[in-house]
Amino acid sequence: MLCEISAWCHYFMKIIMPFSKATEASAITRVFDMAGGEQKKSGGGGKKKEVKKETGLGLSFTKDENFGEWYSEVVVSSEMIEYYDISGCYILRPWAMSIWEIMQTFFDAEIKKMKVKNCYFPLFVSPGVLLKEKDHIEGFAPEVAWVTKSGDSDLEVPIAIRPTSETVMYPYYSKWIRGHRDLPLRLNQWCNVVRWEFSNPTPFIRSREFLWQEGHTAFATKEEADTEVLQILELYRRIYEEFLAIPVAKGRKSELEKFAGGLYTTSIEAFIPNTGRGIQGATSHCLGQNFAKMFEINYENEKGEKAMVWQNSWGYSTRTIGVMVMVHGDDKGLVLPPKVAALQVIVIPITYKDADTQGIFDACTATVATLSEAGIRAEADLRENYSPGWKYSNWEMKGVPLRIEIGPQDLKNNQVRVARRDNGEKTDISRVFLVEQVKGMLDKIQQNLFDAAKQKRDACIEVVKTWDEFVKALGQKKLILAPWCDEKEVEKDVKARTKGEMGAAKSLCTPFEQPELAEGTKCFASGKPAKKWTYWGRSY
Ligand code: 87F
């Protein structure tokens, strides 16, 4: 065993050493402007941008013309992200963190209702446990980051940084679970994980360190585990659809795409129309008894016999925020769904030379107080060194759902003017009905964002029956729904046949909601009898 460990370590060290050099090199090529904004994206090869003063006014790329640059610019200009001098690592600024916290508050309360308890396990993993479950680690090994030194001296045994915590936690599950009364054991942790990705780092979407929650549960029966897998998946659907206003498909992963260490994987899949790529939004795995066998998680059942637990693990990460930016953002910047916006309403005074400035400022403050009392997240932007126009652009860039303007005329008429971020619509509303009107509008925006995103996504869905139709739809950046024989070899073949610069196509999920599959329907790729409808496409 010892030999095996050192062989693994040797393998990892070889990967780490040249890579850290590459990282330093790419850090050096970065150019920072006065405001500290990175002008060149991480990694080599990207073209240099003009150094643009951070005015907060306008984006230099449009969503349709240059999606990648547009995305990078939006996350930085909206003050969600600051680039960092280690490639693939990003600073999450309060504007992003508050979105994460809102989702966290919801999910944490929901899992507590399910009797899940929070805990915290260490960040570091000893090679022995990490490498114990070989099937599980095999494909992931290159992404594991290792600590090899303290100060100047080499560690006797390198220590891994958790990429996920199955192997960290389960030795203790084995210790803590003794009898059937210890079950179910349901733990969750909110933490960071590190996966040293090599391909195209992107804020939120693919970063080398990210925040997530990971739930790890153990049950006496498979039925209980199965039930929980779906309960958790439903919570993930709600995060996407009810909070982030993003339509998703719930379904099961193929044998090729499932978590190799588990029995089966269910997931939430979203779609980015601009790039024509699917994106896995969250996963809920039934691990079966694979880890239980490996880590000897046994217990004595009611009959006094030795039995093995059934396990699940499930997680969603800060990737959710990136999907939200990609789906809703526009050429003015971020568009935040009201339910996750740190600030739902921004109140801006419109003062002219001879206007009653103090009266207008007081009206703004009073408006914020009224809204806040009603539980609406509102603030006034009373800065005097910025014009109203500049403030409009600034808050539009940050995606605040509603802007309230108060000028001399509004003051006179005891009204405010409200502008919607999602569609630009402006309405005058009486201050008498302020709270109910604003609440109503926020609800409408939330719904409208979801409806618009769903319409766009649905317009990208292409039902295909043959290989030719499949290839054509793939070229048109579609989300493909195709009848499939559900064979691993056939999926491998699809990947091989679609390999190219843009990345290969793969199965995204087999949706639980299955259209009717007419008898005699053939698999689009193999021509064998189809067993199910499956979503296919390129993906993140
Ligand atoms: C990268 C390096 C090492 C994903 C990795 O999905 C190990 C892994 O095990 C690894 N990338 N995974 C699978 C994670 C499975 C599972 N863990 C708990 C989840 C949700 C939360």
Side-chain angles (χ1 to χ4, degrees), residues 136-137 140 143 163-164 166 195 212 259 283 285 313-315:
H136 145 237
I137 201 70
F140 298 126
E143 288 179 14
T164 181
E166 277 81 357
R195 294 179 186 172
W212 75 351
F259 173 34
T283 47
H285 313 277
S313 76
W314 28 271

